[in-house]
């Protein structure tokens, strides 16, 4: 999906930046990381395919994000 390439760079770059917050800011950073990715994909989908399609994609993007955090946290604890 080359049309998503630049948007994914910003979405996942922002996600990684906020997820990397340490200390007491970590829970806030993880929530903000999720929000950044979901909002960037929502806005981009809205302009590319219409906001009806963007709303339909919200649930999938939310599950993708939380599943990724779950796997990442599990790997972090395992090693």
């Amino acid at each position: 999906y080359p049309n998503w390439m630049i948007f994914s760079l910003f979405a996942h770059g922002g996600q990684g930046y906020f997820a990397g917050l340490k200390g007491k800011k970590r829970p806030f950073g993880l929530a903000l990381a999720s929000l950044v990715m979901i909002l960037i994909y929502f806005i981009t989908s809205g302009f590319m395919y219409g906001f009806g399609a963007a709303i339909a994609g919200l649930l999938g993007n939310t599950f993708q994000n939380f599943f990724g955090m779950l796997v990442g946290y599990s790997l972090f604890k395992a090693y």
Side-chain angles (χ1 to χ4, degrees):
Y1 301 102
N3 54 329
W4 287 99
M5 182 175 55
I6 191 73
F7 304 110
S8 291
L9 177 69
F10 287 110
H12 294 293
Q15 186 181 26
Y17 177 79
F18 290 118
L21 295 177
K22 296 181 188 255
K24 292 182 181 183
K25 296 180 183 178
R26 176 154 302 213
F28 175 71
L30 291 175
L32 195 55
S34 301
L35 190 62
V36 163
M37 189 208 90
I38 292 167
L39 281 178
I40 288 176
Y41 279 136
F42 175 76
I43 292 168
T44 303
S45 292
F47 286 116
M48 290 173 81
Y49 303 114
F51 283 96
I55 291 170
L58 278 175
L59 188 62
N61 284 329
T62 303
F63 281 143
Q64 173 190 2
N65 196 18
F66 287 114
F67 183 73
M69 283 197 296
L70 178 68
V71 170
Y73 182 73
S74 298
L75 288 172
F76 170 75
K77 285 301 206 181
Y79 296 101

